[in-house]
Amino acid sequence: MARVADGIRKQVYERARGQCEYCQTQQKLVVTMQIDHVIPLAAGGATAMDNLCLSCVNCNNSKRDFQFGIDPATGLDARLFHPRRQRWTSHFRWSDDGLRIIGLTATGRATVNRLKMNRTAMVVSRGEWVTMDKHPPAQ
């Protein structure tokens, strides 16, 4: 794991406005965030601003060094969402009740699946945040 310099780490946090760039969970609700190499170091990704994003622990641990996931709608491999090159709202939307992330594209569905964005614990937490009027986050 490459060490991310404090100055770059701070810039990544500020650019993400304190929320996971994959599942949009706000840092103030989950506390622990990590810096993710969108293109993993093992695949030649750099420790540079255009390859770094803020990620909650679950998304980062689930993504690991993967760049592809299975699109459950087709059963085929699809490239995972790239927060530096793609727009979140082009690939995802919130369910009407704000509890689940819906993948709109092969990339979105594969990312939701690979990163376990709708695991039970997260859906339950989102339900609590919705009742406190703290979720879903503004886009």
Side-chain angles (χ1 to χ4, degrees), residues 22 36-40 50-53 63 66-67 81-84:
Y22 294 112
D36 177 55
H37 288 80
V38 181
I39 299 171
D50 65 350
N51 189 47
L52 299 174
C53 74
K63 181 178 171 276
F66 291 106
Q67 295 183 74
F81 176 67
H82 191 306
R84 297 284 64 78

Side-chain angles (χ1 to χ4, degrees), residues 48-64:
M49 286 298 291
D50 65 350
N51 189 47
L52 299 174
C53 74
L54 191 62
S55 178
C56 70
V57 171
N58 178 75
C59 285
N60 199 31
N61 289 344
S62 297
K63 181 178 171 276
R64 301 181 2 216

Side-chain angles (χ1 to χ4, degrees), residues 56-105:
C56 70
V57 171
N58 178 75
C59 285
N60 199 31
N61 289 344
S62 297
K63 181 178 171 276
R64 301 181 2 216
D65 284 344
F66 291 106
Q67 295 183 74
F68 291 86
I70 301 294
D71 173 2
T74 64
L76 301 174
D77 273 346
R79 188 169 287 283
L80 298 178
F81 176 67
H82 191 306
R84 297 284 64 78
R85 298 179 184 159
Q86 296 171 308
R87 195 178 155 99
W88 197 89
T89 54
S90 296
H91 295 279
F92 311 97
R93 73 170 179 81
W94 289 103
S95 60
D96 291 339
D97 59 8
L99 302 182
R100 289 177 176 74
I101 298 172
I102 309 297
L104 303 174
T105 63

